Amino acid sequence: MKFRWNIAEVDSLLARPLEATLGISPLLAHCLVQRQVTEPESARLFLEPRLKSLSDPYLLPNMERAVDRLFAAHAARERMVIFGDYDVDGVTATALLKTSLTTLGWQVDHYLPHRMDEGYGLSQAGVENCLARFPVPLLLAVDCGSTATEQVGWMAARGVEVIVLDHHQVADPPPPAVALVNPQLGPDGLHHPRALCSAALAFKLLHALLRRGRELELERFARFDIKPLLDLVALGTVADLVPLRGENRILVSAGLKRLETTDRPGLVALKEVSQTRSPIGVYEVGFQLGPRLNAAGRLETAEAALELLLAEDLESARPLAEALDTTNRERQAIEKQMADDVVGLVRSKFRPEHDFVIVEGALHWHIGVVGIVAARVLREFYRPTIILGGDNELWRGSGRSIPGFDLAAALRECGDLLERHGGHAMAAGVTIQPNRLAALRERLNGAARTALPAELLRPELRLDARIPLRELTVDRLSELMRLQPFGQGNPALQFLIPRVTLASPAQKLGRQQQHWKFRLTDGQAYVDALWWGAVEAGDAPPSGTFDVAAVPQLETFNGRTLVRLKFLDWRPAS
């Protein structure tokens, strides 16, 4: 047993009103309660996410100020520049605003920072290069800027006003922007969503602008249809790993449907090169479309990804998509080599009882893939991890954390050691002088020893319910699939399936024979299960009578729908 199994208790007092009011099964009601969806009306919204349930965009902090300044620019025909970011969220938000604002009559340029030369966010180098190319009076910072107090002040002193549209943590003091539209500044809740990513915020800003334009009886605004832009919102939201709850759930549900039928040339071409077929869900965005859009920004600049999303026809989009596909293969090769090196280094000196946080860096490690490698190291050793690379003067890195350790807060306590830092509880970015790396490692480990009891250093497997294999029918799972889209904040269903055996010997699958395939039975039902990567990880197949932790899935092949299991862990039957 690799995990700490945590099996959810049934809370009938909360589940029964959902069953009665919504006419759903006890199991679906129980799974809703496990997701803290306990009121009938909130459960109805969860199961039936609709665009009409989106909140008023003007409830977002400082939205009205942003709209006022943008309409002043519109009336004066001022040129403005969108300063974006190089990840999928930043690129999709930039594409959404560039296309829509241009259509509605704004004079818009755009600028994406170069990852290697300018670093992440609204850096001083990025700002100076941007304004040298586009000497404008108004800059709209998208997916960055909330911690750029110094840079925004520098621009203000030179007569450049800044609107910040961002969802990251805000510096103290905050940047002196004309408008800082950031949900972190407001309360949380269904009508005050704090977890929106920047693509979603761009959608909300556009919604607010359209309302103002229609109030002013401007014809372009009356004709503009915002819904086709939901494909970009879904891409940014899923790729940025924000919780798929509340408004994010509504936007992604609608956006994934748009992705199915989108006529946006760049996305049509991207689906072709990635061989992404319908139905398109969170997996297809997260593992097929998103990585290809991310690849360019990871290695150099995201300009190619943005150019693809802005392409006006398939003839120009296809070569761009093919180039991104090639870049993604290069990224995968760099990532695999670096991950193997880093994991080997950590494995050679890892002391589980002493190392609560892993911090490693090297001059030759590629800063474009440090985040992906940090996630790989975390999966292997289950410790908060920061991996860095760079040049002789400064190293830049990315960190990933585990539940119970707020990485962004811990880095704030190390501010005297760092040149720059920012992020979230579970992921953060840092810039540091190489000679301070050991001090950072020691201080973070000290903080983690205080914050993390020993039991939190073993990964937890949260199981929604205990259910016999024979009860995992197509009809039952079809009802449970109303909980989709699964993702961050709304994990896929995971069940404990008791007392099963292997109906036939385990088989190895995959190009490198790295997976196990089983046929499981409880004596009445038979279901196939796949244990991904288990052979490669050295995990032996189960034996005797055992309990299974697994994700139930529905697969349709040749018109026939069957139940399949994604195998997670096993233990001898109790």
Side-chain angles (χ1 to χ4, degrees):
M1 191 165 69
K2 300 171 67 173
F3 298 90
R4 290 181 292 123
W5 290 22
N6 183 346
I7 305 160
E9 298 293 329
V10 178
D11 190 333
S12 299
L13 289 176
L14 292 175
R16 282 176 186 156
L18 300 182
E19 297 172 41
T21 306
L22 302 177
I24 59 178
S25 70
L27 182 58
L28 178 54
H30 168 69
C31 292
L32 284 166
V33 170
Q34 293 311 309
R35 285 154 177 75
Q36 289 80 51
V37 182
T38 57
E39 299 296 327
E41 185 54 31
S42 61
R44 193 186 309 278
L45 288 172
F46 193 94
L47 296 175
E48 301 171 5
R50 294 176 178 170
L51 290 172
K52 67 179 183 181
S53 301
L54 291 174
S55 65
D56 184 340
Y58 284 98
L59 291 174
L60 285 165
N62 303 311
M63 180 63 85
E64 190 151 11
R65 290 184 191 175
V67 170
D68 288 344
R69 181 62 185 90
L70 286 168
F71 263 92
H74 189 276
R77 297 192 64 79
E78 284 180 329
R79 290 210 71 83
M80 60 178 285
V81 62
I82 299 171
F83 189 106
D85 198 17
Y86 44 61
D87 65 2
V88 177
D89 186 28
V91 170
T92 52
T94 301
L96 188 157
L97 290 171
K98 177 72 185 292
T99 54
S100 58
L101 294 184
T102 300
T103 301
L104 292 168
W106 273 273
Q107 309 297 306
V108 186
D109 294 305
H110 72 267
Y111 186 88
L112 296 180
H114 191 288
R115 188 176 198 128
M116 306 303 167
D117 298 341
E118 297 168 338
Y120 57 86
L122 201 62
S123 67
Q124 188 65 31
V127 166
E128 291 184 20
N129 291 337
C130 173
L131 293 178
R133 187 183 304 176
F134 305 111
V136 296
L138 178 61
L139 182 145
L140 173 57
V142 175
D143 200 34
C144 59
S146 291
T147 60
T149 304
E150 183 178 333
Q151 289 78 14
V152 174
W154 182 88
M155 285 187 277
R158 286 154 179 79
V160 179
E161 294 187 310
V162 179
I163 298 170
V164 172
L165 185 73
D166 189 24
H167 66 113
H168 297 96
Q169 293 181 355
V170 180
D172 185 15
V178 172
L180 175 54
V181 182
N182 188 320
Q184 300 297 326
L185 296 173
D188 199 9
L190 179 62
H191 301 298
H192 298 277
R194 294 187 67 183
L196 294 175
C197 70
S198 292
L201 289 172
F203 186 85
K204 301 285 278 190
L205 173 61
L206 178 59
H207 185 193
L209 291 169
L210 288 173
R211 277 182 43 182
R212 176 71 62 85
R214 288 165 183 169
E215 289 166 5
L216 296 172
E217 299 182 347
L218 300 175
E219 186 180 351
R220 287 185 185 180
F221 292 76
R223 293 198 312 263
F224 193 94
D225 184 4
I226 196 173
K227 290 180 183 177
L229 294 163
L230 285 164
D231 54 1
L232 297 176
V233 179
L235 276 170
T237 302
V238 172
D240 217 47
L241 299 178
V242 292
L244 298 188
R245 305 291 294 264
E247 297 217 351
N248 287 332
R249 180 173 174 80
I250 295 171
L251 292 167
V252 169
S253 296
L256 290 175
K257 292 174 185 173
R258 285 279 167 180
L259 271 173
E260 293 269 356
T261 58
T262 185
D263 59 1
R264 193 179 305 282
L267 293 182
V268 172
L270 192 65
K271 288 197 288 184
E272 287 177 359
V273 300
S274 61
Q275 300 180 24
T276 300
R277 298 179 177 86
S278 296
I280 294 178
V282 169
Y283 174 85
E284 286 73 21
V285 172
F287 292 92
Q288 293 179 322
L289 302 177
R292 286 169 172 81
L293 287 173
N294 244 340
R298 286 193 181 280
L299 299 187
E300 290 185 9
T301 172
E303 195 65 44
L306 181 58
E307 191 178 347
L308 175 69
L309 295 181
L310 296 177
E312 295 183 355
D313 53 64
L314 273 173
E315 186 179 2
S316 58
R318 283 191 172 114
L320 291 167
E322 289 165 2
L324 284 177
D325 189 57
T326 300
T327 303
N328 189 53
R329 294 179 194 279
E330 294 171 3
R331 187 270 306 169
Q332 289 173 324
I334 293 169
E335 172 197 325
K336 184 180 186 306
Q337 181 60 59
M338 182 171 150
D340 290 345
D341 292 347
V342 176
V343 168
L345 172 66
V346 174
R347 192 179 287 141
S348 70
K349 60 181 183 178
F350 181 63
R351 294 175 294 166
E353 71 289 343
H354 179 268
D355 296 328
F356 279 54
V357 179
I358 294 169
V359 180
E360 296 294 343
L363 186 65
H364 62 283
W365 288 349
H366 198 297
I367 62 173
V369 298
V370 288
I372 299 174
V373 173
R376 160 86 184 273
V377 173
L378 186 149
R379 287 197 302 272
E380 176 96 9
F381 300 97
Y382 201 68
R383 296 291 189 275
T385 300
I386 297 176
I387 303 299
L388 304 100
D391 54 33
N392 288 319
E393 294 183 6
L394 290 176
W395 286 0
R396 298 204 300 269
S398 189
R400 300 292 183 268
S401 195
I402 63 176
F405 189 69
D406 186 330
L407 187 56
L411 289 172
R412 285 196 294 272
E413 297 302 314
C414 303
D416 58 306
L417 298 174
L418 304 172
E419 301 297 311
R420 295 182 67 199
H421 63 90
H424 310 289
M426 302 300 284
V430 297
T431 302
I432 190 173
Q433 295 178 22
N435 59 4
R436 293 179 172 175
L437 196 67
L440 177 65
R441 181 187 299 116
E442 187 59 37
R443 194 178 299 181
L444 287 175
N445 268 278
R449 288 187 195 103
T450 302
L452 289 171
E455 62 268 19
L456 293 185
L457 296 177
R458 186 180 177 202
E460 180 185 49
L461 192 57
R462 296 179 65 86
L463 302 173
D464 289 280
R466 180 191 304 262
I467 181 168
L469 189 68
R470 60 185 174 275
E471 293 184 18
L472 284 177
T473 63
V474 170
D475 286 345
R476 170 158 284 190
L477 283 184
S478 296
E479 185 200 30
L480 293 175
M481 291 303 116
R482 295 179 67 189
L483 296 168
Q484 292 181 310
F486 298 124
Q488 198 80 5
N490 180 37
L493 293 165
Q494 298 182 159
F495 290 149
L496 187 157
I497 304 165
R499 303 194 64 79
V500 297
T501 59
L502 294 183
S504 57
Q507 296 177 295
K508 293 179 182 178
L509 288 183
R511 190 176 299 172
Q512 280 85 40
Q513 298 283 284
Q514 69 270 43
H515 315 302
W516 283 120
K517 180 182 179 182
F518 313 124
R519 188 158 179 78
L520 305 178
T521 182
D522 61 357
Q524 298 182 47
Y526 293 82
V527 176
D528 288 337
L530 281 172
W531 196 3
W532 297 100
V535 178
E536 187 177 33
D539 294 313
S543 58
T545 301
F546 52 93
D547 299 335
V548 172
V551 176
Q553 299 172 328
L554 290 176
E555 284 187 7
T556 301
F557 185 71
N558 287 337
R560 187 182 177 204
T561 300
L562 299 171
V563 176
R564 295 282 187 261
L565 296 177
K566 178 184 174 184
F567 198 97
L568 301 174
D569 199 9
W570 69 279
R571 68 184 186 189
S574 55

